[in-house]
Amino acid sequence: MSEYIAHEHDVLIIGAGGAGLRAAIEVSAAGGKVAVISKSLLGKAHTVMAEGGVAAAMGNVDDRDSWRVHFADTMRGGQYLSNWRMAEVHAKEAPARVRELEAWGALFDRTSDGRILQRNFGGHRYPRLAHVGDRTGLEMIRTLQDHGIHLGLDVFMEHTVVTLLKDGERIAGAFGYDRERGRFHLFRAKAVVLATGGIGRAYKITSNSWEYTGDGHSLAYHAGAALMDMEFVQFHPTGMIWPPSVRGILVTEGVRGEGGVLRNRNGERFMFKDIPPLYANQTADTEEEGWRYTQGDKNAKRPPELLTRDHVARCIRHEVREGRGSPHGGVFLDIAWIKERLPNAAEYIKKKLPSMYHQFKQLADIDITQEPMEVGPTTHYMMGGVKVDADSEMSDVAGLFAAGECAAGLHGANRLGGNSLSDLLVFGKRAGEYATAYAKENSLGAVNTDELESAEKWALQPFERKGSDNPYAVQHALQDVMQERVGIVRQEQEMLQALERIRELKAASDRVSVDGNREYNAGWHTALDLHSLLTVSEIVTRAALERKESRGAHFRDDFPAKDEQYGGCNVVVRKGAGGEMHLTREPIPPMRDDLQQIVQEMK
Amino acid sequence: MATATFRIWRGEKGQGKFQDYTSEVSAGMVVLDAVHQIQAEQAGDLAVRWNCKAGKCGSCSAEINRMPKLMCMTRLNTLPLERPVTVEPMKAFPHMRDLVTDVSWNYGLKKRIPKFQPRQPDASDGTWRIAQEDVERVQEFRKCIECFLCQDVCHVLRDHHMHEQFIGPRFLVYAAALEMHPLDVGDRVESLRKDFGIGLCNITKCCTKVCPENITITDNAIVPLKERVVDRFFDPLSNLFRVFSNSKT
């Protein structure tokens, strides 16, 4: 008989970043009893790392902006694979979600007439990102956290879910453990919202922390929900690359938004050399025009540094491959040059990009007001995730919802910067709202105690094995293979090798052993996380093999062009009856006429 | 490759001892890198909290060579590596395991501080108009990453254990951010005196010195709050004025 602590709630939210907290607030405000499970302490989730801002077409800086333009920008950025209904809902509702944050105490930077200031960002036609210097994510998560704690949420800090529980076809709860004591917990709930974020830890070079092991993706998949667009992993073009210990830490796109430029070792602004046709009409013709754009000239077009992330990342990789990279294998990102144009440039940079200034000063001994940074691509964001209904965010499993990074649909083949913070607000709220409605119409599902017992037994196995594989070593080996074989540029042979290696590492993960006891044992937690990491790594690889074309963040060396037979479909992954991965190409439903018209008008 | 010795506190619930680990040191490394290396190669169950590894989340607070610091922002080239680098948990909170402490007291405190209460919106669309300079004053406080190093170093908490009577620098900064918020109309002055123990702070500024976000905790947050308390409760002129005008105290 297993031993565990039991909890009962109307709605269980797994994940306490922006999406999870926003969902919890919604449940609580509707009178639902809600629990939030947080893998770390409250307020430490990856949302704090978001720097640039939250995209919402409020039109405070440029009144030509509207939800229509935001919708068209998002669809174009996603290479038309996005769920158009989600893109519509997102563009329409984001402004209200941002204003609501202000009513809860968030303090955004202001325009001269005292409204919320908005800044330029890659792929957004007009200045659209509400921001707080370069620490917008911190402001957002703190606002949600501080607002939420007064609503009576039950927060389970430093708890991790290992499996979802079902009663027949519907969700019944989750089973997990607490880090402090290693005790098991049963969370029964009428509805469950997944808000677990990304999968960055599957890669060696990443801006993601230890938590991002694809738990939500894996939990949903094993519970029978479909995952979609898993081949689309966003590599942010600008991560730190030197010194080695900081490799992967994010350098905000805001640097380029404020006038920062990318150069190769010859001092050339290489981004002008390759401008994709889809963006040719919107990109500056000269360096001068690009500068004017960053300074708010409404008649200027944006510099090519602000093209979409997938494109910029590939251009950087190309420069490095061609031998034109910086000394440590990246390129130069230069904001210091603006001193040629602005009086007090150093002060301006420190004020607009304070945390970037400190990050480089403290970690790399570089003063970004005086010298260029060295940057290169870093694994940043998972566009793919749980396939959900566009309006309710419910997955294929009744009562199981997903929002934020672990859900799919809004971003398609590539996410625009700023659209993730708005994503988690808009769809976090909706997931909370619909999960509450579902919980009101349904009672608690029954829990099968045999399932709990086998989950517990599985989780404790690493303690019983002695002297076999080290969980950290298995994790590092997986990160190496994903980085090298399923990275920015992919090809079939390499990905088949990756699948073989993942199979070996799965076997190794069944042999890992850990020392010590169950109390706050990092080795044990790493061993358990391997299950999710290996599941999502295999899904990413198989989905990437299935899409035999290049589109957005997914680039195939062996199929370097877009192929229209793939352009109209999403790759969907489900767990087959025999436990095998089952992939299908599902056609995207035809776009509503009025939305199609918007896309045409904005071309 | 160069090596260094890390003297790490190992143990549970306050019981334990320092244990030495020798680890390789490479360019640009921070203390957290060394701890991770030791964890992966020599001590798989070593307990340590961390998240962003970029000084933005405030998870990896510890005492390095006896100084409260973020492990992820402490570069090895700022430490004398010819002798062992000591790494121990924060002292102002109950010890859990190795480098991890129970900081839940801090989370409980926040609930006790009256929440943000905005004034009526300025515009008919429900929005407000705020000047950038009014925003900036409070933004300094809102930079706080809740690493709790200021709480750790505050002698009222660390040495005198007055956790019941005193909310500590972090939550005085939090209260200041609310009190000075351009939209807030709440009043926390009486609570600051009676419930939150602001009088216990005697302005030694230790908190300001350890803040990794360089928030001027004492001068910009605590002192102005103390002044509000003094104005309200100890200023004879305004007391007299209140008696005659019957306004709230």
Side-chain angles (χ1 to χ4, degrees), chain A residues 9 11-14 24 33-37 153-156 187:
Chain A
H9 292 88
V11 180
L12 173 68
I13 292 169
I14 305 174
K33 188 178 179 220
V34 58
V36 182
I37 296 183
L153 319 176
D154 284 341
V155 182
F156 294 85
F187 295 93

Side-chain angles (χ1 to χ4, degrees), chain A residues 33 54 103 128 197 276 300 320 395 404-406 439 530 574 590 597:
Chain A
K33 188 178 179 220
V54 45
R128 188 176 286 149
V320 176
S395 72
E405 189 172 351
C406 76
L530 285 174
R574 289 184 182 83
Q597 204 182 331

Side-chain angles (χ1 to χ4, degrees), chain A residues 321-520:
Chain A
R321 284 265 163 133
E322 297 292 311
R324 295 189 292 270
S326 64
H328 300 106
V331 295
F332 294 107
L333 171 61
D334 187 5
I335 181 83
W337 83 277
I338 68 171
K339 64 189 169 206
E340 295 165 20
R341 302 296 183 104
L342 289 181
N344 298 325
E347 287 316 304
Y348 178 82
I349 293 166
K350 283 187 211 170
K351 188 161 150 31
K352 284 290 181 180
L353 302 161
S355 65
M356 283 304 104
Y357 173 76
H358 286 291
Q359 188 172 307
F360 274 89
K361 192 97 182 134
Q362 251 176 300
L363 295 175
D365 293 324
I366 283 180
D367 179 351
I368 66 168
T369 69
Q370 300 302 322
E371 51 192 322
M373 301 158 246
E374 267 189 86
V375 297
T378 179
T379 313
H380 184 56
Y381 188 87
M382 181 38 136
M383 267 73 74
V386 183
K387 185 171 184 280
V388 292
D389 173 74
D391 288 276
S392 70
E393 318 331 312
M394 188 152 93
S395 72
D396 288 355
V397 174
L400 179 64
F401 299 76
E405 189 172 351
C406 76
L410 175 61
H411 310 296
N414 180 53
R415 175 177 71 84
L416 299 184
N419 268 2
S420 63
L421 290 186
S422 42
D423 171 8
L424 52 84
L425 292 174
V426 168
F427 295 107
K429 177 194 183 282
R430 279 181 167 258
E433 183 183 332
Y434 285 89
T436 310
Y438 182 91
K440 280 190 178 147
E441 287 160 14
N442 292 277
S443 53
L444 280 173
V447 169
N448 178 348
T449 48
D450 291 348
E451 246 179 278
L452 305 184
E453 210 157 330
S454 65
E456 184 178 321
K457 202 171 154 215
W458 171 80
L460 292 174
Q461 275 169 0
F463 287 109
E464 284 148 26
R465 297 185 281 249
K466 289 290 164 220
S468 38
D469 293 72
N470 170 341
Y472 299 100
V474 176
Q475 195 194 64
H476 292 164
L478 178 66
Q479 291 167 339
D480 282 340
V481 68
M482 291 302 285
Q483 188 76 36
E484 278 162 30
R485 304 262 181 261
V486 200
I488 300 181
V489 173
R490 301 159 172 179
Q491 54 121 318
E492 183 162 299
Q493 276 314 310
E494 290 188 354
M495 288 193 285
L496 290 173
Q497 289 165 9
L499 276 185
E500 181 55 27
R501 187 79 181 112
I502 290 168
R503 205 178 53 80
E504 290 165 16
L505 291 171
K506 265 192 177 159
S509 79
D510 289 334
R511 293 191 303 263
V512 295
S513 68
V514 298
D515 298 326
N517 60 30
R518 279 157 66 175
E519 299 190 0
Y520 220 109

Side-chain angles (χ1 to χ4, degrees), chain A residues 3-204:
Chain A
E3 276 179 38
Y4 53 79
I5 300 162
H7 313 271
E8 280 185 18
H9 292 88
D10 295 324
V11 180
L12 173 68
I13 292 169
I14 305 174
L21 288 173
R22 186 60 190 82
I25 286 169
E26 203 59 22
V27 178
S28 215
K33 188 178 179 220
V34 58
V36 182
I37 296 183
S38 174
K39 208 169 165 181
S40 287
L41 295 175
L42 192 56
K44 309 299 185 191
H46 217 272
T47 307
V48 297
M49 295 292 283
E51 292 158 348
V54 45
M58 297 186 286
N60 288 356
V61 171
D62 193 322
D63 59 16
R64 291 174 296 181
D65 203 8
S66 70
W67 77 263
R68 290 176 180 80
V69 190
H70 193 181
F71 166 77
D73 287 349
T74 301
M75 292 302 296
R76 188 187 305 108
Q79 307 267 341
Y80 303 103
L81 289 192
S82 304
N83 177 311
W84 46 263
R85 172 64 184 155
M86 284 176 89
E88 178 197 11
V89 164
H90 167 256
K92 281 181 173 166
E93 295 179 4
R97 295 288 80 78
V98 171
R99 291 192 192 111
E100 180 175 76
L101 285 182
E102 183 149 277
W104 296 343
L107 273 174
F108 294 100
D109 286 346
R110 316 308 292 188
T111 62
S112 54
D113 66 347
R115 295 186 298 165
I116 295 174
L117 181 61
Q118 300 185 269
R119 69 157 50 123
N120 286 313
F121 232 60
H124 294 280
R125 180 172 284 202
Y126 301 118
R128 188 176 286 149
L129 270 66
H131 61 277
V132 185
D134 54 3
R135 54 159 196 87
T136 314
L138 172 67
E139 185 74 12
M140 258 182 59
I141 199 164
R142 203 65 85 227
T143 302
L144 293 170
Q145 176 189 343
D146 294 351
H147 184 71
I149 56 169
H150 292 286
L151 294 172
L153 319 176
D154 284 341
V155 182
F156 294 85
M157 294 201 288
E158 299 195 308
H159 283 56
T160 303
V161 169
V162 294
T163 187
L164 294 177
L165 303 167
K166 281 168 75 179
D167 177 1
E169 294 307 305
R170 58 162 294 209
I171 202 78
F175 188 70
Y177 63 89
D178 64 69
R179 304 188 88 201
E180 181 182 357
R181 304 269 300 276
R183 293 168 303 196
F184 290 101
H185 295 254
L186 164 65
F187 295 93
R188 295 182 68 195
K190 297 167 188 167
V192 173
V193 178
L194 294 170
T196 54
I199 66 147
R201 292 306 279 183
Y203 288 83
K204 187 173 168 182

Side-chain angles (χ1 to χ4, degrees), chain A residues 195 325 453 541 585:
Chain A
E453 210 157 330
T541 310
R585 277 185 247 157

